[in-house]
């Protein structure tokens, strides 16, 4: 299966590469509390990863392999929303 982005209320939370639809559904169900991050009313959905998100997943996977870990033990990586840098204070 191709990398998938799991979102809460349309905001990307992580990019994963499940082996099949059953694994994807199980991940969303079992990680709902982490995904929602305190927003128990948040709706969890997923979609195929775009090119940038796939590149993030591939980079993390390559780092995982470089550390000597096996391919099957890597599932995904959180996507952190980046806030604008604070203005410099003089």
């Amino acid at each position: 299966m191709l990398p998938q982005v799991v979102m809460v209320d349309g905001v990307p939370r992580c990019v994963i590469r499940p082996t099949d639809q059953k694994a994807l559904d199980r991940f969303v169900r079992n990680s709902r509390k982490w995904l929602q991050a305190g927003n128990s009313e948040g709706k969890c959905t997923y979609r195929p990863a775009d090119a940038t998100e796939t590149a993030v997943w591939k980079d993390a996977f390559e780092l995982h392999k470089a550390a000597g870990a096996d391919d099957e033990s890597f599932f995904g990586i959180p996507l952190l929303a980046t806030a604008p840098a604070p203005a410099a204070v003089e």
Side-chain angles (χ1 to χ4, degrees), residues 1 4 12 17-19 23 34 36-38 42 44 47-49 52 54 56 60 63 69 76-77 89-90:
M1 193 168 201
Q4 300 288 311
R17 186 170 177 212
T19 54
W34 175 82
Q36 292 172 330
C44 295
R47 63 168 170 73
T52 303
T54 298
V56 168
L63 183 61
I77 185 168
V89 177
E90 294 184 28

Side-chain angles (χ1 to χ4, degrees), residues 2-82:
L2 296 173
Q4 300 288 311
V5 173
V6 180
M7 302 175 296
V8 175
D9 292 337
V11 177
R13 292 283 292 150
C14 61
V15 61
I16 62 172
R17 186 170 177 212
T19 54
D20 55 20
Q21 186 67 41
K22 186 176 179 180
L24 176 58
D25 292 337
R26 182 175 46 250
F27 174 79
V28 172
R29 181 181 63 247
N30 293 341
S31 61
R32 186 171 306 278
K33 191 171 186 175
W34 175 82
L35 290 166
Q36 292 172 330
N39 177 13
S40 61
E41 299 298 317
K43 182 178 178 185
C44 295
T45 57
Y46 50 85
R47 63 168 170 73
D50 65 21
T52 303
E53 294 157 339
T54 298
V56 168
W57 184 88
K58 286 181 179 179
D59 284 348
F61 182 55
E62 290 302 318
L63 183 61
H64 174 78
K65 290 192 308 185
D70 62 303
D71 295 359
E72 288 77 32
S73 65
F74 183 77
F75 192 72
I77 185 168
L79 291 173
L80 303 176
T82 56

